[in-house]
Amino acid sequence: MTPAVHAARFAELDAATLYAILRLRVDVFVVEQECAYPELDGRDDDPGTLHLWIADEAGTAAYLRMLDEPGGDVRIGRVAVAPRARGTGLAGRLMLEALDRLGDRRCVLDAQTYLAGFYERFGFATVGPEF
């Protein structure tokens, strides 16, 4: 059975789900990637932020968020997959769901260089300096 994609605004997230999402993000971005930065950036509870995730029997397996940006763009960010679920297509499923929810709005994102090919599959192009 294919796990469902869940979507919720911040106020709709129960404490256990929010904790699991934030733990995945910290485990991937701060601990695994050794990036010391403010993971909790104050944007999770913005009224226009939509959280998408997939859970499996072990908990939150994959996550991304969609942010409303000034000017009407949507920013996809915090795309993370738990190590146990990598290579299973969950990030791609979340991206397709996010892009489906955009409608006719323009979408932007920032990504590390090694992920450029992944995002190109969804129509994104590299612009700007490498990081």
Side-chain angles (χ1 to χ4, degrees), residues 62-85:
Y63 169 85
L64 68 72
R65 72 179 182 185
M66 300 173 67
L67 304 170
D68 284 345
E69 294 286 85
D73 292 348
V74 173
R75 176 173 300 280
I76 292 177
R78 301 300 201 263
V79 180
V81 178
R84 70 178 184 281

Side-chain angles (χ1 to χ4, degrees), residues 20-21 23-29 32-33 52-64 78-91 94:
I21 287 169
R23 181 170 181 180
L24 173 64
R25 287 175 23 186
V26 168
D27 285 350
V28 170
F29 300 123
E32 181 183 330
Q33 295 182 3
L52 301 178
W53 73 97
I54 298 171
D56 62 15
E57 62 284 342
T60 302
Y63 169 85
L64 68 72
R78 301 300 201 263
V79 180
V81 178
R84 70 178 184 281
R86 291 184 185 151
T88 62
L90 296 184
L94 286 176

Side-chain angles (χ1 to χ4, degrees), residues 22-24 56 58-59 67 75 95 98 105 110 115 122:
L22 296 176
R23 181 170 181 180
L24 173 64
D56 62 15
L67 304 170
R75 176 173 300 280
M95 286 297 298
R105 296 174 69 191
D110 295 316
L115 291 169
F122 301 99

Side-chain angles (χ1 to χ4, degrees), residues 1 7 12 50 54 77 89 97 110 117 119:
M1 183 172 153
E12 300 167 331
L50 184 65
I54 298 171
E97 179 72 23
D110 295 316
Y119 291 111

